[in-house]
Structure formats: structure tokens, C-alpha cells
Amino acid sequence: MEQYEPDRLSPAQLAAMHRGLRNGGARTSLSRRSLLRASTGGALAVGGLGALTGCGIPAASKSQGGISSEDHSAKEKEINFSNWTEYIDMSDDEKHRPTLDAFTRRTGIKVKYTEDINDNVEFFGKIKPQLAAGQDTGRDIMILTDWLAARLIRYGWVQKLDASNLPHAYTNLATQFRNPDWDPGRAYSYPWQGIATVIAYNTKATGGKEITSVSQLLDDPKLKGRVGLLSEMRDTIGMTLLDLGKDPRDFKADDFDAAIARLQKAVDSKQIRRFTGNDYIADLSKGDLAACLAWAGDVVQLQADNPHVKFAIPDAGYISSTDNMLIPNKARHKTNAEKLMDYYYEPAVAAKTSAWINYVTPLESTIIKPELAKIDKDVANDPLIVPDKAQAAKAHGFRSLTAKEETSFEEKFAQLTGG
């Protein structure tokens, strides 16, 4: 495990933070969970500034990885679960969480469910002091986006999972999510939901023309001044790398520079209107943006209200990321937490959750699709929620970055976007 060292923000990263705030870079879903995806040094919340600086917190020793207190699961039938807002199924009266209630009835384990994650960096600031000091955070499960999950695994601040408690998760996890470079074989984490970056366009604004590639976004003169790209570095650069024939899972600094140069040309020609957070939603719906990079969960909800909004998966592929369930060091109820993690990989349970959330299901399509069809055939047949094998094969993660790369790449991206 890598020893913890304080993360300090470069001037470019601070600028990226302000860019994210200006652009609404903290992602808010239309009617589901507000998915505030702050990339490391990217669209950071104000509360995250302190989270990434030294603060005089002692470094965790390498020997602290996977620390557990005595597991009290057998005697204490409870779980403390931290998640994002509106990121689990709710009853119509919004007073109950049906799948959690069913879990408690089945197991007798009560779940204290807290919606206390509004931003990855801000949440990291909450839990860092305890984790760095080898103390209990008071949480048994927490949901973190892949880049932050990777960081906590590197620091040795989360516990290795007991595969014997996760039979459904091990069997039903979709192939595309099984081996991220930051957690091969999912030894420390399992996805809660997937996030896909796609191309979205408004046919009324394009005159009925389909927009199916990043090259069209950057070069088509009919789209000039009406193109939006994302203020999230990994999404925009990743999609551009794919368009250049490079694999975001395995690229070099020169490839990154080539992507920056490609985008800079489109910025200079004023092809790109602006870099956005999820405030592209209103502009795309109105047609002020003819086409843009977008997150699939937003597109699903936009399409429900606007038949002119379409999406495309480029032949070159798309960027896929995940929000992940992890068990922090010193959690008191590890076995109970693993039971809950596994429960959400039972097809019927996962279907109820996906039907409500509308993000990418982490289960294999052949396993969950029949269960989803019992609830909502439209959801079951929506490739933005249940990717088929051909679409899943086009999914690419963005490789883990070293601290040096992260600083360098963010500086270059900030210069590109005017942050």
C-alpha cells in the first residue's frame, strides 16, 4: 500500500475548481441523484480545498492497510451506510426506501442510511482525519467515484473484501467493470452504479442530422459555436483520445498533448461554445447547444421530456466510470456491510434500484434485463441503462494517474478551457 502523503492543489487545479463552480461542474441530475463528480483537481467544491491540503495530519503507515476493529456484526445487527442524495430507490411518498426495508426484514439488520456525500473531495475532507489516524469513521459502507476509491485503496484506508460473503456480486458483475487498473479483480470495491459519457444532440438544432463522433463535434462547420464539451478532464480528454485512436486505459503524455492540441484547434476556431458541468442540460434541451458530450443518466431523463434529444455511442468507444461501494478501515460491521453489498447484486433488487436511478447497471445485461422488464420494459431496453454486449465492449476507463501526471494534465486542461 502507498503511504499517505498530503495532496496539494496547484494553481491550475485551483482554477479548475473555480471553473467547475462557474459552469455548474458539480453534476446535478434532473430528478434523481445529484451526481457531483469532482475529478481530482478538477471541478472541486469549495469545501474540498482543505481536504486536499496537508492540515498537519500524520501520515498513515503502510502497515495500516485493511485495518479492522473487531467485527461486531454478529452481535450488532446494524450498518452505517453513506451515499449521495437521491441515489437509491424511494417510495412514492418519499418516506421509505423499499430495497433497504426489504433487506432489514430479511436479515434483521437495520441500516442507518445517510445522504451525506455531496462531493467526492468534500467527503474526503470529512473522513481523512480519522482514516489517516487509523480511527473508525463511523461508517461501514461508503459510495465513492472511481478516482477517489483508487486513492483510498492506494493509501491502505479500505478493507479487503471477503469473497465468500459476495457470491452474487462475484457472479453477476458485468465484465466491463471487473478489472479496473486501480482495483484488479475488485478485491476492495464493487460498483454501485456505472456512469457513461456519450454524445448527445438535439435534432431540432441539427436539422435532423445525426452526430455520432467527436470529430463531428470538433470539425463540422454547421455546428460551429453550438458545441459543448465537459469541464471534467477525464471525460473530455478520454473521449478525444478515443477519437484519435488512442486507448484512455493506456496512453502516454504525448498522447495527452495530442488530445489537448486537437481540442485547442476547436477552441481557437470557436467551434466549441463552452466547457460545461451538467448545465448543458438546459442548453441542449432548448437547442442553444446543438450537440455536446453528456452523461448518460442525464440523457435518459432529458429524453423523457424532449423527443428531439438523441444520443450516440461513437464507433471509437466511450468513457465509462463507476461509483463504488467500499468498507473503510476500522468499520465495526464488515460482514453485515458485505451482506448488503451482495444483496444489491441480486437481480431483482438491482432491477428495482436501476429502474429508479436510471444510471448504468453494474450487472451483466443478460442477468438483469429480464428482471428490469418486469418493472419497466422501456428501462430494460434502454442501452444507456443496460448496455448490450456490443456497447459494453466499447466502454473504456481512464487510467489511473500519478500525482505528477495529475498536476501536469490539469494545468494543461485548465489552459485549454480558460480556467
Side-chain angles (χ1 to χ4, degrees):
M1 295 294 181
E2 176 183 316
Q3 182 170 336
Y4 167 68
E5 295 180 359
D7 301 285
R8 298 187 182 277
L9 294 178
S10 69
Q13 290 172 323
L14 288 169
M17 176 197 74
H18 293 298
R19 178 182 69 243
L21 293 175
R22 267 200 320 270
N23 293 338
R27 237 178 122 185
T28 53
S29 176
L30 290 180
S31 61
R32 293 291 188 260
R33 171 218 165 188
S34 295
L35 187 59
L36 310 179
R37 297 181 57 220
S39 64
T40 306
L44 305 180
V46 172
L49 286 172
L52 295 183
T53 56
C55 303
I57 295 171
S61 71
K62 294 182 181 180
S63 64
Q64 287 182 321
I67 299 173
S68 62
S69 60
E70 180 184 350
D71 190 352
H72 298 267
S73 293
K75 294 182 179 180
E76 299 177 5
K77 296 294 185 179
E78 60 185 85
I79 299 170
N80 294 301
F81 186 174
S82 284
N83 204 349
W84 302 72
T85 59
E86 299 186 51
Y87 208 22
I88 199 169
D89 54 305
M90 291 282 288
S91 60
D92 291 340
D93 62 8
E94 298 187 353
K95 293 182 179 180
H96 303 282
R97 298 180 176 92
T99 55
L100 283 181
D101 293 345
F103 175 79
T104 296
R105 288 194 299 271
R106 181 198 294 184
T107 64
I109 300 170
K110 295 181 179 180
V111 182
K112 181 183 178 182
Y113 184 82
T114 308
E115 295 180 329
D116 61 345
I117 306 178
N118 293 306
D119 175 273
N120 283 293
V121 178
E122 179 184 46
F123 185 73
F124 182 57
K126 292 180 183 179
I127 62 176
K128 183 177 71 170
Q130 296 100 317
L131 291 173
Q135 298 172 353
D136 182 9
T137 65
R139 298 168 176 87
D140 300 304
I141 298 181
M142 51 191 181
I143 307 291
L144 301 176
T145 305
D146 44 17
W147 68 264
L148 184 53
R151 177 183 293 180
L152 266 60
I153 291 170
R154 288 200 311 270
Y155 291 164
W157 287 356
V158 295
Q159 297 189 55
K160 191 170 185 179
L161 301 173
D162 184 343
S164 67
N165 291 329
L166 296 156
H168 294 96
Y170 180 82
T171 300
N172 296 336
L173 178 63
T175 302
Q176 74 181 88
F177 298 127
R178 283 188 176 271
N179 286 292
D181 64 355
W182 48 270
D183 187 16
R186 292 289 179 179
Y188 293 89
S189 69
Y190 266 93
W192 176 251
Q193 296 291 300
I195 307 161
T197 303
V198 300
I199 292 174
Y201 57 98
N202 186 320
T203 55
K204 196 171 182 180
T206 65
K209 186 175 184 178
E210 294 183 348
I211 310 300
T212 60
S213 70
V214 171
S215 288
Q216 280 180 278
L217 291 178
L218 302 182
D219 298 328
D220 189 337
K222 292 183 179 179
L223 299 178
K224 186 173 182 177
R226 298 186 296 152
V227 171
L229 299 182
L230 293 168
S231 57
E232 291 282 353
M233 184 265 286
R234 287 166 174 78
D235 292 309
T236 291
I237 294 295
M239 293 292 282
T240 305
L241 285 168
L242 286 167
D243 193 68
L244 291 170
K246 302 297 182 179
D247 189 344
R249 296 169 297 194
D250 182 21
F251 66 91
K252 301 183 184 305
D254 287 348
D255 299 324
F256 184 92
D257 290 344
I260 288 286
R262 178 86 170 89
L263 293 165
Q264 188 66 59
K265 181 180 177 182
V267 168
D268 293 343
S269 69
K270 301 189 184 306
Q271 177 78 6
I272 298 171
R273 180 168 182 156
R274 62 194 182 102
F275 291 82
T276 75
N278 84 313
D279 51 326
Y280 63 77
I281 290 173
D283 288 346
L284 181 63
S285 185
K286 290 186 295 184
D288 292 343
L289 285 178
C292 63
L293 294 181
W295 290 298
D298 293 335
V299 177
V300 171
Q301 294 164 35
L302 267 173
Q303 289 181 320
D305 298 319
N306 188 337
H308 299 294
V309 174
K310 307 294 181 182
F311 79 94
I313 301 292
D315 288 340
Y318 66 98
I319 292 296
S320 175
S321 56
T322 51
D323 285 329
N324 309 276
M325 297 181 282
L326 302 106
I327 300 175
N329 285 354
K330 292 294 211 174
R332 287 179 62 87
H333 312 107
K334 181 174 184 286
T335 299
N336 289 347
E338 289 167 339
K339 288 179 180 179
L340 184 63
M341 292 169 69
D342 193 61
Y343 169 74
Y344 277 99
Y345 274 81
E346 294 180 17
V349 177
K352 291 175 183 176
T353 309
S354 292
W356 200 90
I357 296 174
N358 289 170
Y359 281 89
V360 180
T361 174
L363 278 70
E364 283 286 5
S365 61
T366 54
I367 293 172
I368 195 171
K369 194 168 184 176
E371 292 295 334
L372 265 174
K374 296 175 185 177
I375 301 170
D376 188 325
K377 290 184 178 180
D378 289 339
V379 171
N381 292 319
D382 192 328
L384 293 180
I385 299 172
V386 188
D388 58 26
K389 287 187 177 181
Q391 182 172 318
K394 292 183 178 181
H396 297 260
F398 194 96
R399 73 168 174 83
S400 299
L401 303 178
T402 65
K404 183 177 180 180
E405 285 178 326
E406 215 160 288
T407 299
S408 172
F409 291 174
E410 280 292 354
E411 287 177 348
K412 293 175 181 179
F413 191 69
Q415 292 172 4
L416 170 75
T417 62

